[in-house]
Every structure is written in structure tokens, then in C-alpha cells.
Amino acid sequence: MTENSQQPQPAPTTELPTQYAPAEVEGKLYERWVERGYFEADAKSEKPPYTVVIPPPNVTGSLHLGHAFEHTLIDALTRRKRMQGYETLWQPGMDHAGIATQNVVERELAKEGKSRHDLGREAFVERVWQWKAESGGQISGQMRRLGDAVAWSRERFTMDEGLSQAVQTIFKRLYDDELIYRAERIINWCPRCLTAISDIEVEYQDDDGELVSMKYGDGDDTIVVATTRAETMLGDTAVAVHPEDERYKHLIGKQVKLPLTDRSIPVVADEHVDPEFGTGAVKVTPAHDPNDFEIGQRHDLPAIAVMDEHAVITAHGPFQGLDRLEARSAIVAALRAEGRIVAEKRPYVHSVGHCSRCKTTIEPRLSMQWWVKVGPLAKAAGDAVRDGKVKIHPQEMEKRYFDWVDNLHDWCISRQLWWGHRIPVWYGPNGEVVCVGPDEEAPAGEGWTQDNDVLDTWFSSGLWPFSTLGWPERTESLAKFYPNSVLVTGYDILFFWVARMMMFGLYAMDGTPPFHTIALHGMVRDQNGKKMSKSFGNVVNPLDWMDKYGSDALRFTLARGANPGVDVPIGEDWVQGSRNFANKIWNATRFALMHGATVEGPLPDASRMSSTDRWILSRLNSVVAEVDAYYEDYQFAKLSDALFHFAWDEVFDWYVELSKTTFQAGGEAAEVSKRVLGEVLDVTLRLLHPVVPFVTETLWTTLTGGESVVIAEWPADSGFRDADAEREIETVQSVITEVRRFRADQGLQPGQRVPARLTLAGSPLAAHEAAVRQLLRLQPEGDAFQATATLPVAGFEVALDLSGVIDFAAERKRLAKDLAAAEKEKAQANAKLGNEAFLAKAPDNVVDKIRGRLTKADEDITRIQSQLEKLPQA
């Protein structure tokens, strides 16, 4: 049998309150756990390490359902490992969130009628730190509400001193290894935030635009191109066609007149062009389109920028000074006036990138930026998974990972912001460029200036698994807790955060990857499977549900929906159902304590136990093994479901109910069952604890007198199985279930008592007759017993005397009426399904509905006929 990690102690005499009130216990329990240091991690410990980092939430953020979901899964893993004897570190912290945080503070300044430029860089950065101290990081308190068992003393921030040193160190090393360089390339540019932004900060949506087809050149040299961004034609430096396109072979190498300008541009042949799309000819604007930039590089084309950082036209002429959208309309009008417009399509729905922070349309822009040469880093990140050093779970997600890391473009890491890690590069008066490491002095003297840009937030968060442990110093924590055991994160940032951690971890830590396993989960959606969005009106604040139903209820609902790599639908009624489960655990444990359930003393020998006792202990150990296997495979939904059905169905609805007659009878059998019930509850509460920590803490400490279930021993499968006892109780369950079904079919009230004869003598079921009679409300048969209904169940007979309980004539009449209605429904459905003309015209959904009616009618007829057969003749 499983053993309690605490010394056996008698259960306290203090009774549990009649109802579980989460709001009254959760906060107090959490603070007690923190004060006692249960969540802290000791680098000197000889226990094996188990390390997980929190995907650092933005300092501007608050707890949303996605956080609650992910944190619940990580917390469950960490709590279980702690109970298994590991030195666990769940590393907390926050990301400085460059653009998001700068935008927040700039909005505050705007209310005062100021901009960051009014303050200057140093004063503005100081203002951001002040905001962070006063208003940032509210998510930390919300994580406590959820029950996150993180090591708070180790909390880190991506802009704190230690992590800043790590950032400067790795930048310097990459620079010295020629893996960081500065170059002019096309980037995503936000004209509102005035910075380059990463791919993950671009949100694509279908917008109504226009597709304009226009003529370049004249006469035989005319060529038609189409565009959704007519304003960029001012920066065209070529027209490209496919080299094998017969329509344009005569034009390749020639110059054509670029309308509205005094320039001529060449027609170039490039295999990038799809001859089947549109006219088969494309305008090439290297300064304002990433694909065009690549064509320009291949053909040595000039790149002419025609917009500034605000997306205002800078090209000389009548359009100079216009916003890009104003210029678009004006240029189309001018082209139309010259007879250059061939076709116009409005609206033209196409995918357009927007800044995720301010929703402004992104402008591809040629810009001088800092880049990471990702080729060798990405290869190492791919090889680590291919070689089995790192496992991706579920395995089918590996293809998406390889598709990304095997095709990575160089990474733009500079941002035109003031809040963030400033790039540690100085420029001298004579064109000198010096990269400064953390232990080096910056160049002094007249004319030396530091680069104005800061690093992409993903650069510092990519160091998270080792920078939080003290790297670049070789600390005890780094030696103990790196690499991480598992990374639990959403598949949506597999390409961004995960890939960057892999690249940096392998580079900085001598080829040791940052984690052994990447466990990917899906996104939380509403109960209809729809993405949660403010525009849809279906966004849920998890704090509201925690206030209403308790944190355990939210956690259990989220875990029960967590299948690896699959999105998770969630609705309030499901959370309410989980609250009911918490109440069931509470009420059943309270009942057990009131009836003497105990963990005192050793578990009795199996020879002293009833078959009911042996059955539940056999099932208990099977569930322990099952839950362990699911945890190792990150099958949170399956382990939660297994625990739900074991606790509710087998322990509370069957074992407790079957044992009531034993408790009432007293004697040695009752004492044995009380100890077995105590054992089952002890183990079940420990199994449930990682997912529902608060209610299990209250119940387990009350039941066992132990210090805390947080530090209790994780249950182990003792190997005890009793197949005979399991078969016996399954037979008892079959008898009870079948008679209950018959009673319900006959319209008997649940509490209505009926005389019955049970032919159980000489079988193992005889020992359960008292329990069966009690659960089924069956009276002894008596002298006047008349068997009006006989049910053969599992090889036994249960004879019931329903005389005086049911008016058989009236019941037969009612059932006959129901049978006639069902047969009429069947006949009508068959008639329609047999009508070829109807089937030829009716929509598929109508036909399917009629087939469903036929199936339902057949089922009703079978059920009613069975009920009629079981009724005695009047």
C-alpha cells in the first residue's frame, strides 16, 4: 500500500465547516506556504533538480486566461516533482516589454501635455523605472491568487543589473564572433511607435484595400503591373518578369518610362516572379518591400526611399509631404488623368500587417539596423532536436519547429526606443566602431557617442533560462539548475521565444541546450472554440471566475481541457462544474471524518479487509500508476479526468456508499474500513493537490494532522492489485445500476421503498446484500411478497413487488400511448427516406435530421417495449 510521508498522527478533532468557502482560505494558505519557504530552491541541496522557468509576462500585463492556463500546467508539474523529492525551482520574473512599456509611459506623459523628447532620454528612462515601481507588475499579485508555487526570492526582471550584464556579455561575444553586424535591410516599421518591430509584434488581418493595375512605358514597350500600394511606385527601380515568360522576353534588358517621374527603369528577369499571378510582371521597390529588396540585391538595383519614419512622402514633386494614404489616392488620380490606369478593384480584401501595440499599418522600410547572423545558431538549434538532446512534445510539432529554424532569416535586434537594453556600441569621431563588454570602459573623449538604439525585447528574454541563474558568472544556481527540465509554453511562440532560447542557450552554455523537453500547449478559446477577442466580446477575466468559484475550480477546468498542442475551449458552466467537484471533495471528506476515517496506525493486512476495501485499494494503486504515466507524457486532460472519475465515482459514489452499512454495523470490519477510507482519501488528496492545491491542503492537513500537503510525499504504486475484488464490486455495481435504471423507467421516486427478493445466497455478492438493499431502497420481501417484476442481472435475479406502488393498468396505458407515438414517428421518417423525389431535392442537413429522428424512434420503441415486457399483467 502507499505510505504517508508524515509520521502517522490521529486526525484532529476539529470538524470542517459545513461548506467550503474558497475566498476565506486561499489567500491565507498561500501566504503560509510562502512564509514557510516551501517554494524556494536551494542550490546546495543534494536532491535532484527540477527546473522550470515562467515565460516572463510583460511588466505592463495582467493575468489573462492564457497566463492562468499555462501557469496551472507548470504549477502542477512543479508541485508534483516537489512531492517526489526533487529540489524544484520554478523561476519567476517579468519582461521589460520595450514597446509596450514605453507606450504606456508616453500616454501618461501625453496627459500632462508632454512627450518623451520634452524630458530627454535619461529623465524619460527614470520615469519608466518610477512607473514600474508604482504600477508595473500587478500580475505578481494575481499569480499568488492562482496559487503559483514560484521561488519569489529569485524573482528577476529583464532590465535588472544581473540580466543587463548577461545581455551585454552575449552581445559582445556574438559581435566578436562576427555573429552580430550592422546593415541596411528591409524591416517592419511602425510609423506610430517609430521603431522597427519583430515579426511576432506584427498582427495580420484582412483589410479592404484597392488593387490598381497601371501601365509603365509606351507603345511596344508598355508593360502592366498591379499593386495595392500605389504610393510606393515613386521608389520603383525596375519591373521584374519571369525569364521564361514569352510575353515579355522582348522587354528584358530594356528601359521603360516610370510614370509621374523623370526616370526610366529596367525590365529584369527574375525567377521569383510568378508568371501565372496577375499580369506576370511586378514593380520592384527595393526600399519598401522585402521581396523587392531581395530582387534588388540580385540585380544591383538602387534602393530609393520615398517615405520618412512617419510614413510621409519625401520624394520631390507634387506628392511630397503627403501621408502615405493621402498620397495613394493622389497618385492613382494622377495616373488616371494620364490614362495609365488599366483596372481598379475596390474593395480588394488582402492581408495587411498591423503593429500589435497601436494597430497602425506596418510599413516595410529600408533601414540601417543591427542584426544577428542566425545561420550557425539556428543549425545548432535544429540539430539539438534532431539528435534527441531536446524533445518536443507532442512530437508532431517537430515539423513546425524545423520548418522555422531551418529557414530563419537574420534577426533584426535593434529598436528605435529609449526603454530597453541600449546597444553597447560606441562610434568615434573618425568612423571608429567599438563594442564594449560589461567589464570594459567605454571610449572617452570628444566625438564619441553610444548607439541610440536598444535591443529587441526577445534578445534579453532569449537568455532567460541561464541569465536568471547568474550567468555569465558560474554560480552554484547555474551549476545546479541548468539546463531546465522542461519548457511549458504555447505553440504560438515556438518560432520566436523558444527558438531564440535554443540558439542563445547552445551558444552561451557550451552546446548544452536550455531545456530537456519543450512541452507545447494550445490557446484558450471560448466554449464554442472561438478565439477570445475584445472585438468578439468573449474575453474573460480569470479573476472574476476565481472570485466567483475559487481558484481551484478555474485551475481544474483549465487542466481538464489541456491536451498537448491542442487549443482549449472553456466556458463558465465548466468552471461551475469544477466548483461542484471541489465541493464534492469537501463534503465527502467531511462525511468521512465524521464517521471515523483515519490515517492512524498501519494499514490493516488485506486478509482482514472486505472485498470492498480490497477493491478500492486495488483501484487506487491503478490510478496512481495511471496518473504518473499521464504526467510523464504531459497529458493533463487525461490525468485530471482520471482523478475526477476516480474521486467522484469510485471513492465518493461507490466506496463511501457501499461502506455505510459497515460503518453503521460497527465492530472490527468498521474499524478496518475507516482506516482504508482514511488511506484512500489521504492518497487521493495528494494526487489531486498539484492541480487543486487549496482545497486539498485544507482537507489533507485536517485528515492527517500533517504539516502541509505541499511537502507531503507523492503517492507511489505499491503494486497491490486484487482482480477478484474488482470483478466482484463491478458485479455489485451492475446489479445496482440496472435496478436503478428500472426504477427510473417505472417512474419510482429515488427514496421510494419497494419490497424485493435478492437471490444472492451462496455467491460473493451475499456479503453486499445489506449495502445493495440500502442503496436501492429495497425492503425485505415479507410474507405477502408478490414478485410483479423480475430482473436478471449479471447472473442473479432481483424480484420486485411493485403492487401498491405502481398502477399497472395506467402505466401500461401510458406506455402504449408512447409506443404508438414512437411507431408513428418511425413510419413518417421511413416514408420520407423512402421517397426518391424528396431525397433528390432535400438539403443534406434536412435528410440527416430525418435520419436522426428515425434512429431516435427506433431507440424509443426498443426502450418502451422492454418496459412493457417487465410490467406484470394487470
Side-chain angles (χ1 to χ4, degrees), residues 611-633:
S611 56
T612 308
D613 295 332
R614 297 195 306 276
W615 160 73
I616 197 63
L617 288 173
S618 181
R619 287 292 306 126
L620 176 67
N621 279 285
S622 294
V623 169
V624 169
E626 188 178 3
V627 168
D628 275 335
Y630 285 144
Y631 262 116
E632 295 305 314
D633 200 34

Side-chain angles (χ1 to χ4, degrees), residues 316-385:
H316 291 298
F319 312 109
Q320 188 175 11
L322 294 180
D323 172 78
R324 57 183 165 168
L325 298 181
E326 296 171 332
R328 183 176 300 170
S329 299
I331 287 170
V332 170
L335 289 167
R336 191 183 300 114
E338 289 191 3
R340 294 279 177 180
I341 299 296
V342 175
E344 296 178 72
K345 185 176 181 181
R346 295 189 186 88
Y348 179 72
V349 179
H350 61 132
S351 181
V352 178
H354 296 259
C355 174
S356 63
R357 303 300 175 190
C358 67
K359 311 308 176 188
T360 301
T361 300
I362 290 302
E363 190 63 44
R365 184 169 187 255
L366 187 63
S367 179
M368 181 66 76
Q369 302 285 345
W370 285 95
W371 303 81
V372 171
K373 186 187 294 182
V374 300
L377 303 175
K379 182 181 183 303
D383 290 345
V385 175

